[in-house]
Amino acid sequence: MHLLSLLIVCGVAVSLQISSYQKNGVRRVGVSLRMNEKESGMKLEARPVQSKKQERRRIVGNKDFLRSESDFSAEEKARVEEKLLSHMKSSLLENMKANMYETTKGEGNAAVTFRLAKEWGLCWGAERSIELALAAVEKFPDRRKHITNELLHNPGVNQMLKDNDISFIEKTNDGGKKFETVQPGDVVILPAFGATLAEMQYFDELGVTTVDTTCPWVSKVWNVVDRQVSKDMTTIIHGKYSHEEAIATASFCKDYLIVKDIHEAEYVCNYILNPGSTEELSKDNFMKKFAQAMSPGFDPDIHLKKIGIANQTTMYKRETAAIGKLFEATMIKKYPEDASDRFAAFDTICDATQERQDAITDMVEDPDVSQLDFILVVGGFDSSNTAHLVEIPHNKGLTVYHINEADCISETNTLTHRLLDGSIVTTENWLPTDRPITIGVTSGASTPDAYVEEALERVVLLKAAISEDNKIAA
Ligand code: SF4
C-alpha cells in the first residue's frame, strides 16, 4: 500500500510518501519526504571500510541479494524466455547468418542488399542482464521494482523494462539521484555495468531485495582491481570518467586515475618520466587535466610509482593494449631495477566487444568493401561499444551512420544519426533513389536483433517508396 500526500512546510511543497510492506512475515512501514521545488538528488558516499573487497563479498552474500539464474524457478525462467522470443529475436538476421550473412530485398532500383558483420549485436552479458531483470518481474509481481540506471544503453530495452513495471531511479540536475523513491522491501535491479560500492551499501542497509545483473566480465575487472589494491597499486582505468561502468570500477579502487585514450596515457607517461619539466608537465596542469578523473587526494608525485591497468570492458581493445604497453615501457624506463613489482596488467576487455570490433574490421578490410554504399550501425547513442564500432569504418574513410532505433529513419528520406563527436544530426536524401544499394550492417552489444530487423525493414520500405522506377510505375 502506498499513500501520497502533499504538504506545505514553510512555503515549500513537500511530498510525504508512506509505504507498508511485508518482509520475513513482519509488516513494516517506510516514510520519505521529498522537496518538490527544485531538482536535488542524493549523492551517496561509500561508508569507509577496511577492505572494499570484503565489503562487496559481504553484501553479495546476503540472502536478499540475487545474482544468478539459479535464484529463479524454472517456471519464472520459462515465462522470461517467452517474452524474449517475442521482443528480442530476429528471423531476418538469423536467415542472413545462414545465407553467408547477406540478403537482398526488393527489385530494380528499389533493391537493397544487406551485408551483416559476422559477429554483431546483443552479447551474452547483456542478454543475461535482460533475463535477470525480467525474472525479477516474474518473481516479485507485487513489489515495487526499480533500476539504478539504464539496464543497458539501449532505448528499446529500457522502454521494455518500463512496460514491465520497472521504474528508473531518476537522475537529478545536480548530479544526484532520487534514491528516496526506493523504500524498504522494494526490489532494486543493478544494471549490466554494475553499481558503485556506495549504492550497494545503501541498498544493503535500506533492506531491499537486490537483483544484481552485473556482467561477469565487469566483475572480473573488479577482481583485478582487488588484486591491485592488495599490492598497494594505483589503478589506471582506460575508460570514460563519466561512464557508469568506469564509475563503478573506480569505486572499488583505493587510488585511481582514468585515462580516456592513448593521448591522455602519453601525457601521464611523460609526467612519470619528466614531472614538472615544462609548464605542460607541471603538477598544477596535471591536476587540472584530470580533475574529474582521479581519486580524492590523488597526488601524481606519490600515486604513479606503482600502477596496475584495468579497463572499462567496452573500450577499443587495440587502444587498451597500446596503453598497457606504453605504461609498462614507461615503468621499465623509470624504474629499471624493480619495474616488475611496480606494474601489472591483465587482459580484461570482454570477448564480445573484441569479436564485434574484429568483425567490422574484417568487413572494412575486405576487398569487396567498395561495393558498400555505407555502413549502418544500430545501437544506443550512449553505448560506448557501439561508438567504437562506428569509429572503425569512419577511420577508414567510409560513410557510416549510427542510429539507435528504427524511428531514426523517416519516410521523407531523412535520417537522424549520431556523429562520433556525440552530436545528433539529420541527413536528408540519405538513400539514393536511382539505383540499387548495398549496406553493411552491424549492431552494438546492447542491441537486441529485433530492433535491428525493425530498422532494416524500415530501410526496405523507404527504398521501395522513393525509388525512381516505382515512382514512374505509380
Ligand atoms: S559487452 Fe562484454 S562486458 Fe559488456 S555486457 Fe556484454 S559481455 Fe558483458
Side-chain angles (χ1 to χ4, degrees):
M1 177 177 69
H2 303 285
L3 298 175
L4 264 177
S5 31
L6 195 67
L7 309 174
I8 303 294
V9 179
C10 300
V12 176
V14 173
S15 297
L16 174 65
Q17 184 171 356
I18 305 171
S19 59
S20 73
Y21 64 98
Q22 188 127 354
K23 191 178 180 192
N24 300 335
V26 180
R27 183 152 288 281
R28 302 169 190 211
V29 175
V31 181
S32 72
L33 276 176
R34 210 167 84 204
M35 311 268 281
N36 291 336
E37 91 287 13
K38 66 175 181 184
E39 281 275 291
S40 63
M42 290 167 71
K43 292 180 190 163
L44 301 180
E45 282 192 18
R47 187 165 34 76
V49 286
Q50 237 180 5
S51 159
K52 291 181 176 181
K53 174 183 166 186
Q54 294 307 333
E55 177 72 343
R56 192 171 75 241
R57 293 210 168 152
R58 181 189 68 73
I59 293 170
V60 305
N62 188 318
K63 70 176 174 41
D64 284 329
F65 196 99
L66 314 183
R67 58 200 292 247
S68 95
E69 292 81 353
S70 61
D71 289 316
F72 299 91
S73 71
E75 293 75 30
E76 285 156 2
K77 285 189 272 193
R79 289 199 294 273
V80 168
E81 191 53 32
E82 248 173 64
K83 278 187 187 167
L84 287 178
L85 270 177
S86 57
H87 285 97
M88 304 276 134
K89 312 280 180 190
S90 157
S91 53
L92 174 69
L93 270 62
E94 283 308 315
N95 289 340
M96 284 171 75
K97 186 177 176 183
N99 288 294
M100 310 287 286
Y101 297 88
E102 203 169 296
T103 190
T104 299
K105 302 282 176 188
E107 291 177 353
N109 284 339
V112 185
T113 299
F114 296 112
R115 193 171 293 169
L116 187 62
K118 294 201 170 54
E119 292 290 341
W120 79 94
L122 202 65
C123 62
W124 71 269
E127 189 163 346
R128 174 183 175 277
S129 178
I130 296 169
E131 282 169 3
L132 287 173
L134 291 178
V137 173
E138 297 299 329
K139 195 173 193 71
F140 305 109
D142 300 327
R143 287 164 68 178
R144 298 195 322 152
K145 292 165 283 292
H146 314 261
I147 186 156
T148 56
N149 226 313
E150 293 186 331
L151 188 76
L152 309 166
H153 287 137
N154 185 284
V157 171
N158 293 317
Q159 186 55 49
M160 189 260 293
L161 296 178
K162 284 179 190 160
D163 295 344
N164 275 278
D165 214 18
I166 297 174
S167 54
F168 287 62
I169 299 175
E170 262 179 71
K171 288 182 183 163
T172 49
N173 48 22
D174 64 347
K177 281 188 196 171
K178 294 185 176 176
F179 287 109
E180 68 273 22
T181 54
V182 182
Q183 293 290 300
D186 288 354
V187 175
V188 173
I189 298 166
L190 307 183
F193 32 71
T196 62
L197 180 61
E199 288 183 352
M200 290 174 81
Q201 286 179 328
Y202 178 80
F203 293 123
D204 181 61
E205 280 159 24
L206 189 62
V208 300
T209 295
T210 303
V211 177
D212 179 14
T213 80
T214 305
C215 176
W217 276 100
V218 176
S219 310
K220 186 176 158 188
V221 176
W222 296 351
N223 293 337
V224 164
V225 165
D226 290 341
R227 272 184 265 164
Q228 293 170 355
V229 170
S230 71
K231 292 180 180 167
D232 209 19
M233 287 177 154
T234 293
T235 302
I236 307 282
I237 302 172
H238 175 213
K240 297 172 183 165
Y241 68 78
S242 57
H243 190 282
E244 298 89 336
E245 184 189 321
I247 294 169
T249 297
S251 78
F252 295 107
C253 299
K254 183 167 166 281
D255 303 298
Y256 67 84
L257 182 71
I258 303 176
V259 294
K260 75 169 187 292
D261 55 25
I262 189 77
H263 305 298
E264 287 196 352
E266 280 166 358
Y267 176 85
V268 176
C269 288
N270 274 339
Y271 188 92
I272 291 172
L273 294 174
N274 310 296
S277 58
T278 62
E279 178 60 30
E280 173 73 359
L281 291 176
S282 67
K283 189 167 168 179
D284 273 0
N285 199 40
F286 187 105
M287 297 302 282
K288 264 188 226 140
K289 207 173 170 70
F290 292 101
Q292 309 215 55
M294 54 172 65
S295 44
F298 187 92
D299 183 334
D301 295 337
I302 296 172
H303 295 117
L304 291 173
K305 293 181 175 170
K306 239 180 141 185
I307 57 174
I309 308 291
N311 64 290
Q312 190 182 309
T313 51
T314 49
M315 296 306 279
Y316 190 41
K317 170 146 183 160
R318 285 184 183 82
E319 192 171 44
T320 298
I323 287 172
K325 284 201 165 60
L326 180 64
F327 274 103
E328 185 176 22
T330 301
M331 296 308 272
I332 290 171
K333 200 166 176 187
K334 178 87 177 179
Y335 304 104
E337 304 297 314
D338 59 349
S340 60
D341 296 334
R342 293 173 179 271
F343 176 78
F346 302 88
D347 183 2
T348 50
I349 203 153
C350 82
D351 288 344
T353 303
Q354 181 57 33
E355 286 162 3
R356 280 148 191 73
Q357 289 172 5
D358 287 348
I360 191 73
T361 303
D362 288 348
M363 181 185 277
V364 302
E365 287 179 352
D366 190 296
D368 287 347
V369 70
S370 58
Q371 295 169 0
L372 300 181
D373 288 87
F374 57 82
I375 291 174
L376 188 67
V377 180
V378 187
F381 285 156
D382 294 339
S383 162
S384 171
N385 78 80
T386 307
H388 292 305
L389 296 178
V390 178
E391 257 171 42
I392 293 168
H394 174 85
N395 291 344
K396 278 268 172 190
L398 300 172
T399 302
V400 52
Y401 295 119
H402 174 188
I403 62 170
N404 68 347
E405 56 184 346
D407 281 351
C408 290
I409 301 164
S410 93
E411 59 191 13
T412 56
N413 199 12
T414 60
L415 183 78
T416 303
H417 57 107
R418 181 188 187 275
L419 301 181
L420 273 175
D421 65 6
S423 52
I424 310 296
V425 297
T426 299
T427 298
E428 294 182 356
N429 300 318
W430 70 292
L431 291 185
T433 57
D434 58 349
R435 59 184 171 81
I437 56 170
T438 301
I439 304 174
V441 176
T442 189
S443 54
S446 46
T447 307
D449 285 355
Y451 304 156
V452 182
E453 176 171 329
E454 211 184 320
L456 301 192
E457 280 175 350
R458 193 77 67 97
V459 171
V460 173
L461 285 174
L462 175 61
K463 188 78 172 91
I466 62 174
S467 287
E468 305 255 302
D469 41 3
N470 287 356
K471 279 188 194 162
I472 292 162

